[in-house]
Amino acid sequence: MTLFGILVTAGAIGIGYFLVARRLLTVTVNGESMTPTFPPEMDALVRRTTKASNDDVVIVAAPDPLTGWLEADERARLTKNNRTSAHWWIKRVAATTGETIPDSTEVVPEGHYYLLSDNPAGEDSRKHGTVPAHQVLGTVVHAWSNDE
């Protein structure tokens, strides 16, 4: 192989790694809201996307304690400083756009998700309302225990 061929191959590998690294990330579960499925300290591989389906487990920006999950422009108007969330939650998609919210007659609005915790004691859309899709960081594609 020529020097040019080596450089092209190395460049392709570097670009491939860069693209994969930007699409995937790992998170560590902290808290009890998704037990027993995702206990504390479990690691999860997350694919960055705002698209999710029913029963997908997603990583989502934590809601504001007072205003819940609002559209960005509403939150900016209601808060003093519009910073991106430093906290992320892991939740399961229970309903998507146009579907009926569980135990309700209301429908999930366009571009939103209704999220639930696996642990009934966890906070989720029952308290904070539907989640705008842009608040979703990604979907869990694999999870493992730190013991593995």
Side-chain angles (χ1 to χ4, degrees), residues 23-140:
R23 299 288 300 156
L24 298 173
L25 65 135
T26 58
V27 298
T28 301
V29 176
N30 182 9
E32 303 283 335
S33 75
M34 289 298 285
T35 57
T37 314
F38 294 91
E41 303 305 315
M42 179 172 261
D43 291 319
L45 181 65
V46 177
R47 181 175 52 91
R48 290 179 189 260
T49 181
T50 58
K51 292 180 171 65
S53 301
N54 281 340
D55 211 39
D56 281 351
V57 175
V58 297
I59 305 300
V60 60
D64 182 278
L66 300 176
T67 60
W69 284 298
L70 295 176
E71 298 293 343
D73 55 344
E74 291 179 77
R75 186 173 299 207
R77 185 173 52 79
L78 295 172
T79 59
K80 289 183 181 176
N81 56 9
N82 187 23
R83 293 178 288 153
T84 57
S85 178
H87 301 285
W88 299 94
W89 282 9
I90 182 169
K91 302 293 172 197
R92 188 174 304 278
V93 177
T96 62
T97 296
E99 295 179 338
T100 304
I101 292 172
D103 301 321
S104 172
T105 58
E106 292 182 53
V107 173
V108 177
E110 181 72 31
H112 286 70
Y113 299 108
Y114 188 84
L115 305 180
L116 293 176
S117 303
D118 283 1
N119 179 342
E123 287 189 32
D124 49 37
S125 289
R126 291 173 289 196
K127 177 176 180 181
H128 300 288
T130 60
V131 181
H134 66 76
Q135 299 277 5
V136 174
L137 177 66
T139 59
V140 173

Side-chain angles (χ1 to χ4, degrees), residues 10-23:
I13 290 170
I15 290 170
Y17 174 78
F18 175 76
L19 292 175
V20 168
R22 289 184 47 92
R23 299 288 300 156

